[in-house]
Amino acid sequence: MSAPRQHPLANVDWLTVIVYGIMVLFGWMNIYSAAVVDINPSPFDISQEYGKQFMFILISAFLALLVLYMEGEFFNKFAIFIYGTFILLLGLVLIIGTTVNGAKAWIQIGGFALQPAEFAKIGVGLMLAKYISNTKTRFNSWKPRFMAGLIIGLPAVLILLQPDVGSLLTFVAFILALYREGLSGNILIIGLGAVVFGVLSIITGFNRINYPFFGEQSGVFVLMTIVFVIGVIFMFLIRNFIVPRNRRKLYLITFLSTAAAIGFSYSVNFLVDGVLQKHQKTRIYVTLGLEEKEEDREAMLSDAESADAAAVTTKKKDDPGYNARMAKIAVGNGGLIGQGYMKGPMSKNKYVPERWTDFIFSVISEEWGFFGSFAVVALFVFLIVRIINMAERQRSQFSRIYGYCVASIFFLHLLINVGMVIGLAPIIGIPLPFMSYGGSSLMGFTLLLFIFLRLDAERLSVFR
Amino acid sequence: MNQYDGRKITIILIVCVIAIIYVVRLFFLQVVNSTWKEQATALTEEEIPLYPPRGIIYDRTGKMLVTNQTVYNLMVVPKKAGEFDTTSLCKLLRIKKEDIDNLFARARARGEFHRPQLLVEQITPSDYAAMSEQLYKYKGFFAESRTLRVYPQSVGALFLGDVGKISPEEYKKNPYYTKQEYLGKSGIEKAYEQELRGVKGINYAFRDNVGNIKEHAGDKEDMPATPGTDLICTMDADLQVYGEKLMQNKRGCIVAIEPSTGEILAMVSAPTYDPNLLVGRVRGHNFNVLNTDPQKPLFNRATQAQYRPGSIFKLAQSLTALQTGAITPQTRIHCNRGVIGCHGGHSNDDLEMAIVHSCNPYFREVMHRVVEADRDGSSRFKDARLGLEIWQGYIMQFGFGTDVHCDIPGVKTGSVPGVKFYDKWYGKEQWAFSTIYSLSIGEGEMLVTPLQMCNMACVIANKGWYVPPHTVKQIGLGGMPREEYMKRYQLGIDSSHFTTVINAMEKVLQPGGTAWRAAPKDIVVCGKTGTVQNAGGKEDHAVFICFAPKENPKIAVAVYTENAGFGGTWSAPVATLMIEQYLNDSIAESSKAREKTILDANFLDR
Ligand SMILES: [Zn+2]
């Protein structure tokens, strides 16, 4: 820490700032389109979502400038303090928070409500960066794994208590950053394998099968039997084809993984069938394509033609399968070049649910077409890759880790939010960064990004 | 640098793979697969049809017979109504509070609380004008306009036809219509449906997720409706009114045609009814009443009743026999009442007098000579087959056994039995003239409609041709009739053969003729009476056909009066009064007594 302080805005990565600006303004444009129904009032009307969003943009711009004028060192030094503050806020919200949509997630301040969960990611990112850069861990022992788990897990548990499953899920993103810092790749592979096997378990468990002797039971037992048989076959293969000195270890691995697979399969099924509430269960089934089959679609269409379409529509509004389908129809209706700004029939006629928040992407897709939706995905990929590249050029490990946390979080939001709209992910209510309506999320993501830009601007003056 | 720096590539790869999967998915959703767009259109678009006003129908003198009236249906969207002053609204609409309560409860039960419900039907324009000043105060209440047919003259119900809601069968057959649409069900309304209905327009609108309809701001251009074409029909309203009056308290019908054009001047089917009864709110109830009436007022006797022709058929027999050369006007035949009965004092008539006397044995022999003319000497059975074939050919040229190419929907063809019919009935070569001779005097298996009878009168008036009877004179004001009603159907009978028949018909209305009492002063009417025997011991049907004047005929009339008795007594006066009304526009003093007799007659209970 020696060289004379340069102008604070020198060395800032302006390309990223420009991409950020494009995303925010494009998002605001589409929030306006999504929220305006009949006449076209001023986009600055503060009583409306788009007017509020404009205000959030101004506040975010102010916060961004503020961060850029601060010293990057501050975030390193006060990482624990920032993390602690957000943990406190997450605790506080459980006591004094207001409940919206079943989640006690909001702290009311004057006329506005803040959602601490949207800011907590910043704290976790900074804290992880601080912990790893201080201990120089490579995650090859249990202690750092446990500590990292604790840093992520503490806010996650508090968020689960609200409960806000969507925000909780975004914490998975940090695993990607940990992977970069040496967390075994097997964890990623095992994780992926668990997802595939879990999906298989749910699909087989969805069917009821009439077993001999046991009567009607969940179909998951078929899967478990198959896994067991494969395990036994492996045992025989090992006995016949492997030299004796290696057998013991392989027996153990086969036995443990077979048992783990059976246990995992059963517990996933138990979780879905026994623990989750009906609507959550339905969401999972809808995503996996187990419910709302082709007949239902045809029935819905013929209903739509009949006089009572409206009644049917109202009835189906709260059904996640209906929402998923409406979002997908809106996306498909965009075509190559879109229906035109402010002209999307599915969006303007309110078929798309939550269209200025979580489903803003379907509004964009309908009105701007494949060109628009492709451009949004491309912008995000550009941003994420650019952040990763910037992270790699950091001399400070702290900055690099934090950069990866930022990229991972944007990636996970893109993965889930866009995936949900196009029917490749379950309906989980998390915002599309910079584009969805919402003060907390816009401010949170802005801070998240600009702290990294600040750190990056100082990369040359930081020795380590 | 350390061992994990390569993981940057892995992470970027993961990001890119996911992004590519998403972009490919987006490409399939948005560009490749068009079903999503179809679903979006089905959900969001509503094509609101714009109904054009139906064409107006005038009579041949320009009197308006059918027009449109706008009425208003008062609708309410219960959800939007909210709190309102029920008492004053009920007073305004002249309904009871329960009506509103019931409607709302029903709407709620059906899950239609947010959809428009019909509260008051068919409010007249004047009533609506009074209401509309107050109506704006009530949220969720609004009026929808609809047009109804109105019949200012209240005549010609079956001639003009009616308009009703489309039936499932009609809907299946014709893709132009929607399930809720109205179309012509009978008469001119049905026959000229395409001209009268105009062309629907389309208003493209949006439907939102709860069913509200919004004006379209999109790219599709609305199509305005093209109004229906007005028609001038062939009817003379005054004549029609008069005909309906003459037929009061009777069952039967009158058909009057202008011979030179085939234009139907009047078509009365009695008992008749006011066409305004089958319009709007009262339609359903009145239709049931009329439909179950034992006098069958909805049955168009002029085109659908099939009677045996009776003596009038002797005119067609005469012309056929003259043309085939079986007889000449001078042929005399003895009135041999051994095989078939006769009436009146005569014994050896020529053709003219045989027509005047309606001599049955004469015409039995006439047809005998037509049918068995020794065309095949080997057997009289074979001979009769050849003869009947020729006879049938001539008879059908008059329009018998056909629809006469008439434009009225649902006309019956009657039947002219031929070789096939008798072969089937008796067996091939099992019949000869002696088997089928009752045909010769218009009895037996022969069936005709009054329309065909009147058409035959036209053929005689024109001396050998006719224009198919039709109901519309001009399509579009100043327009033309349909093409097929501008050309003549020429019969293969020389015009010279008609003179004897026409002279005989003239004598029918002269002293000594069977209808001489019905003859009007100063008009030369040529006619023929008929009396059709009736199964079941009921009184005979009285039949009369005629045309007038003798030179350059202007009108031909056929009258059937069911169970009235003798044709000369009950149907001939009706026909001559019609002629007088049409030609003179008034009834002469000398005819008033006849008119009174007819007006007073009541045969409904027979
Ligand atoms: Zn005689």
Side-chain angles (χ1 to χ4, degrees):
Chain A
M1 285 316 299
S2 54
R5 183 107 162 80
Q6 287 175 301
H7 187 273
L9 298 187
N11 293 325
V12 169
D13 188 70
W14 289 109
L15 188 58
T16 307
V17 176
I18 289 168
V19 169
Y20 163 82
I22 292 172
M23 284 175 149
V24 168
L25 292 177
F26 188 64
W28 180 47
M29 253 178 98
N30 286 292
I31 291 166
Y32 180 72
S33 169
V36 168
V37 177
D38 283 325
I39 32 169
N40 298 344
S42 158
F44 306 107
D45 181 350
I46 201 76
S47 69
Q48 301 295 320
E49 285 78 10
Y50 36 89
K52 287 183 191 156
Q53 182 74 0
F54 179 68
M55 206 184 60
F56 298 147
I57 290 172
L58 292 184
I59 296 172
S60 298
F62 170 75
L63 288 175
L65 265 178
L66 194 72
V67 167
L68 289 182
Y69 274 90
M70 284 167 80
E71 287 198 33
E73 190 64 15
F74 170 85
F75 298 105
N76 190 340
K77 273 185 184 157
F78 288 93
I80 301 172
F81 179 74
I82 295 170
Y83 179 74
T85 308
F86 287 129
I87 295 291
L88 275 180
L89 280 175
L90 283 175
L92 197 64
V93 81
L94 293 175
I95 304 164
I96 63 159
T98 36
T99 305
V100 178
N101 289 338
K104 206 172 183 186
W106 305 80
I107 294 180
Q108 202 76 29
I109 304 166
F112 289 99
L114 277 182
Q115 203 180 357
E118 296 290 355
F119 297 92
K121 298 158 196 162
I122 304 167
V124 175
L126 290 172
M127 189 63 208
L128 274 180
K130 175 92 177 172
Y131 172 73
I132 299 167
S133 60
N134 273 2
T135 54
K136 308 276 181 298
T137 178
R138 289 300 186 209
F139 294 106
N140 35 24
S141 65
W142 284 106
K143 192 193 168 205
R145 288 178 196 165
F146 175 76
M147 282 305 290
L150 195 68
I151 292 169
I152 302 169
L154 194 57
V157 167
L158 290 171
I159 288 170
L160 183 63
L161 290 174
Q162 293 180 351
D164 180 355
V165 182
S167 297
L168 173 72
L169 212 73
T170 58
F171 282 76
V172 174
F174 292 109
I175 293 176
L176 211 58
L178 297 182
Y179 168 71
R180 168 62 185 85
E181 293 309 318
L183 188 69
S184 168
N186 289 343
I187 292 186
L188 280 186
I189 293 167
I190 290 171
L192 196 69
V195 168
V196 172
F197 199 68
V199 166
L200 267 179
S201 305
I202 295 171
I203 292 175
T204 50
F206 181 74
N207 300 301
R208 308 292 295 180
I209 292 177
N210 212 345
Y211 295 92
F213 307 116
F214 299 102
E216 200 187 85
Q217 292 289 333
S218 164
V220 78
F221 294 114
V222 174
L223 185 73
M224 286 158 68
T225 313
I226 292 171
V227 170
F228 179 75
V229 170
I230 290 173
V232 171
I233 290 172
F234 258 82
M235 295 277 196
F236 275 103
L237 290 176
I238 292 165
R239 202 187 71 177
N240 293 332
F241 294 102
I242 304 290
V243 285
R245 64 188 156 88
N246 287 343
R247 278 185 201 158
R248 225 181 100 91
K249 196 180 157 198
L250 285 170
Y251 275 143
L252 194 67
I253 291 174
T254 309
F255 175 75
L256 284 178
S257 49
T258 306
I262 291 174
F264 178 70
S265 167
Y266 183 78
S267 42
V268 164
N269 214 51
F270 177 75
L271 186 76
V272 170
D273 238 13
V275 177
L276 288 188
Q277 284 170 336
K278 190 165 181 298
H279 70 275
Q280 291 166 319
K281 214 159 82 180
T282 316
R283 274 178 197 193
I284 291 169
Y285 288 151
V286 166
T287 308
L288 297 177
L290 296 173
E291 273 184 15
E292 298 291 338
K293 300 210 175 64
E294 200 67 6
E295 307 83 275
D296 300 325
R297 190 175 70 77
E298 275 164 22
M300 183 197 72
L301 276 181
S302 65
D303 287 342
E305 280 164 23
S306 77
D308 282 338
V312 175
T313 311
T314 330
K315 210 164 56 194
K316 295 211 168 186
K317 238 186 121 186
D318 301 324
D319 149 27
Y322 172 84
N323 285 349
R325 205 165 40 218
M326 288 301 134
K328 241 191 301 185
I329 292 173
V331 172
N333 198 31
L336 188 63
I337 57 166
Q339 298 279 340
Y341 180 57
M342 305 277 288
K343 285 183 187 162
M346 293 293 292
S347 312
K348 298 309 279 182
N349 294 301
K350 306 180 212 162
Y351 288 91
V352 177
E354 312 284 339
R355 51 197 185 283
W356 50 83
T357 56
D358 297 342
F359 284 87
I360 189 80
F361 187 75
S362 63
V363 175
I364 294 171
S365 299
E366 186 183 24
E367 299 193 341
W368 300 84
F370 177 69
F371 290 146
S373 53
F374 174 77
V376 169
V377 173
L379 271 180
F380 270 103
V381 171
F382 176 83
L383 183 70
I384 291 162
V385 172
R386 177 143 194 101
I387 292 170
I388 290 173
N389 279 325
M390 282 160 69
E392 289 290 340
R393 75 187 179 190
Q394 303 301 318
R395 290 179 191 173
S396 144
Q397 201 193 0
F398 174 81
S399 303
R400 182 181 71 210
I401 297 166
Y402 180 73
Y404 265 97
C405 287
V406 174
S408 305
I409 285 170
F410 288 152
F411 174 58
L412 198 93
H413 275 263
L414 177 75
L415 181 79
I416 291 185
N417 183 286
V418 173
M420 139 183 114
V421 169
I422 62 180
L424 293 179
I427 307 290
I428 294 166
I430 64 169
L432 188 63
F434 309 132
M435 299 202 171
S436 287
Y437 166 79
S440 298
S441 77
L442 180 60
M443 288 186 261
F445 286 123
T446 303
L447 288 173
L448 191 70
L449 178 65
F450 278 84
I451 288 172
F452 178 63
L453 289 182
R454 178 67 254 161
L455 293 172
D456 175 65
E458 285 173 20
R459 66 187 181 276
L460 297 173
S461 50
V462 177
F463 185 64
R464 267 219 61 94
Chain B
M1 291 298 282
N2 65 54
Q3 54 174 329
Y4 298 124
D5 285 355
R7 291 193 169 182
K8 169 198 164 187
I9 305 298
T10 313
I11 292 171
I12 290 180
L13 217 64
I14 292 172
V15 172
C16 289
V17 166
I18 294 289
I20 288 167
I21 291 173
Y22 278 19
V23 166
V24 168
R25 168 78 168 178
L26 280 166
F27 188 75
F28 271 86
L29 276 177
Q30 298 190 283
V31 183
V32 178
N33 196 336
S34 63
T35 57
W36 302 105
K37 286 176 202 66
E38 287 158 21
Q39 291 191 49
T41 307
L43 280 168
T44 59
E45 262 185 28
E46 178 102 10
E47 289 182 7
I48 301 174
L50 300 171
Y51 297 105
R54 211 171 160 81
I56 294 169
I57 306 177
Y58 301 90
D59 92 331
R60 61 193 294 120
T61 64
K63 286 200 182 81
M64 195 184 275
L65 292 177
V66 189
T67 184
N68 301 310
Q69 185 194 19
T70 305
V71 292
Y72 296 87
N73 288 347
L74 193 85
M75 314 291 289
V76 56
V77 179
K79 201 177 176 184
K80 287 192 186 155
E83 292 277 313
F84 58 93
D85 182 351
T86 322
T87 326
S88 60
L89 182 71
C90 288
K91 215 173 125 194
L92 181 68
L93 302 178
R94 286 178 239 147
I95 53 175
K96 284 186 243 106
K97 188 176 176 299
E98 297 87 77
D99 294 339
I100 298 182
D101 294 343
N102 290 343
L103 184 78
F104 278 31
R106 219 168 32 235
R108 197 187 290 278
R110 289 194 201 135
E112 293 179 342
F113 210 61
H114 53 282
R115 293 186 67 83
Q117 306 289 321
L118 177 64
L119 183 58
V120 188
E121 210 178 0
Q122 291 170 23
I123 303 164
T124 60
S126 58
D127 283 355
Y128 175 67
M131 284 176 194
S132 62
E133 287 166 20
Q134 303 282 323
L135 205 60
Y136 74 92
K137 289 187 208 159
Y138 302 95
K139 264 178 74 185
F141 289 82
F142 64 97
E144 256 181 20
S145 69
R146 242 195 80 185
T147 57
L148 292 180
R149 287 306 235 184
V150 191
Y151 305 86
Q153 312 284 329
S154 295
V155 291
L158 293 171
F159 181 94
L160 299 167
D162 63 339
V163 171
K165 199 175 262 182
I166 192 164
S167 70
E169 298 78 44
E170 288 166 327
Y171 173 73
K172 240 177 264 165
K173 256 189 276 172
N174 203 325
Y176 175 86
Y177 300 97
T178 59
K179 275 178 189 163
Q180 300 299 315
E181 236 166 293
Y182 284 70
L183 80 175
K185 289 283 187 182
S186 63
I188 293 179
E189 297 278 19
K190 182 173 182 179
Y192 291 83
E193 166 69 15
Q194 286 207 20
E195 288 86 351
L196 288 168
R197 75 184 179 199
V199 182
K200 264 185 290 182
I202 300 174
N203 192 346
Y204 292 99
F206 275 138
R207 178 178 48 217
D208 75 7
N209 63 330
V210 290
N212 295 321
I213 302 296
K214 277 197 302 187
E215 282 300 310
H216 205 289
D219 310 328
K220 284 190 184 165
E221 210 166 306
D222 292 348
M223 268 184 357
T226 312
T229 310
D230 294 344
L231 303 178
I232 293 195
C233 73
T234 57
M235 181 203 284
D236 181 312
D238 293 341
L239 186 65
Q240 178 77 21
V241 170
Y242 188 62
E244 289 183 9
K245 197 169 132 194
L246 291 175
M247 292 303 282
Q248 67 189 18
N249 300 323
K250 298 166 194 73
R251 255 190 326 275
C253 61
I254 306 173
V255 183
I257 299 177
E258 185 176 67
S260 60
T261 59
E263 291 168 5
I264 300 175
L265 302 170
M267 193 175 73
V268 178
S269 177
T272 186
Y273 61 95
D274 181 348
N276 289 306
L277 289 177
L278 289 188
V279 168
R281 249 203 282 204
V282 292
R283 179 183 164 93
H285 170 76
N286 287 340
F287 186 85
N288 279 339
V289 171
L290 292 171
N291 203 26
T292 51
D293 186 334
Q295 307 285 0
K296 294 191 184 170
L298 293 176
F299 177 64
N300 190 347
R301 292 175 160 85
T303 58
Q304 294 177 321
Q306 304 181 102
Y307 304 99
R308 284 184 290 175
S311 300
I312 291 166
F313 194 58
K314 288 166 184 164
L315 300 174
Q317 294 284 37
S318 307
L319 292 162
T320 305
L322 287 169
Q323 182 65 28
T324 56
I327 57 166
T328 67
Q330 288 72 41
T331 304
R332 287 179 183 276
I333 294 167
H334 187 67
C335 180
N336 175 2
R337 305 186 180 183
V339 184
I340 193 165
C342 200
H343 31 72
H346 58 272
S347 60
N348 200 24
D349 283 342
D350 62 2
L351 178 60
E352 190 177 305
M353 288 322 291
I355 293 172
V356 176
H357 294 139
S358 204
C359 179
N360 289 340
Y362 187 96
F363 283 100
R364 183 185 174 278
E365 180 55 22
V366 165
M367 189 175 172
H368 186 197
R369 292 185 191 180
V370 172
V371 173
E372 290 183 6
D374 215 7
R375 293 178 185 87
D376 184 334
S378 65
S379 128
R380 67 189 176 98
F381 297 105
K382 284 181 182 164
D383 195 24
R385 284 169 62 87
L386 291 174
L388 192 71
E389 192 82 50
I390 290 165
W391 174 85
Q392 191 193 25
Y394 278 106
I395 295 304
M396 287 184 72
Q397 284 186 42
F398 286 90
F400 296 118
T402 74
D403 62 1
V404 216
H405 317 285
C406 181
D407 59 0
I408 300 171
V411 292
K412 287 282 190 299
T413 60
S415 83
V416 180
V419 172
K420 249 189 215 159
F421 177 86
Y422 289 115
D423 276 355
K424 209 177 152 195
W425 196 255
Y426 296 110
K428 198 176 170 185
E429 292 177 23
Q430 298 295 304
W431 54 273
F433 176 70
S434 56
T435 329
I436 60 168
Y437 72 88
S438 53
L439 276 182
S440 62
I441 57 161
E443 300 290 338
E445 294 79 12
M446 180 88 188
L447 287 174
V448 301
T449 64
L451 179 72
Q452 289 169 338
M453 278 308 209
C454 192
N455 192 55
M456 183 181 73
C458 290
V459 170
I460 298 168
N462 294 332
K463 297 187 180 169
W465 55 268
Y466 71 95
V467 178
H470 55 279
T471 54
V472 169
K473 195 175 158 68
Q474 292 178 15
I475 298 173
L477 304 185
M480 305 293 278
R482 284 191 183 154
E483 212 170 304
E484 61 259 43
Y485 301 123
M486 297 196 296
K487 60 176 190 233
R488 298 173 174 185
Y489 280 75
Q490 186 74 46
L491 276 66
I493 295 172
D494 296 344
S495 58
S496 59
H497 295 316
F498 287 86
T499 319
T500 320
V501 174
I502 291 172
N503 286 338
M505 289 172 75
E506 185 184 358
K507 287 212 171 73
V508 169
L509 284 103
Q510 286 172 351
T514 47
W516 72 274
R517 286 173 202 279
K521 223 172 143 188
D522 305 330
I523 302 172
V524 182
V525 179
C526 304
K528 177 77 189 83
T529 58
T531 303
V532 179
Q533 288 156 20
N534 226 328
K538 281 199 175 177
E539 197 81 45
D540 295 342
H541 297 328
V543 190
F544 189 74
I545 70 158
C546 62
F547 62 87
K550 185 184 177 190
E551 304 303 327
N552 207 0
K554 291 268 177 275
I555 178 170
V557 184
V559 178
Y560 273 69
T561 315
E562 289 184 12
N563 310 114
F566 186 51
T569 315
W570 294 113
S571 284
V574 172
T576 55
L577 286 166
M578 288 290 281
I579 286 170
E580 227 182 312
Q581 166 67 32
Y582 182 67
L583 295 180
N584 297 344
D585 243 342
S586 62
I587 304 299
E589 272 312 309
S590 56
S591 303
K592 288 285 182 193
R594 242 183 305 128
E595 186 185 35
K596 187 174 185 307
T597 315
I598 294 298
L599 290 177
D600 290 346
N602 185 337
F603 303 124
L604 275 187
D605 299 329
R606 291 195 181 175

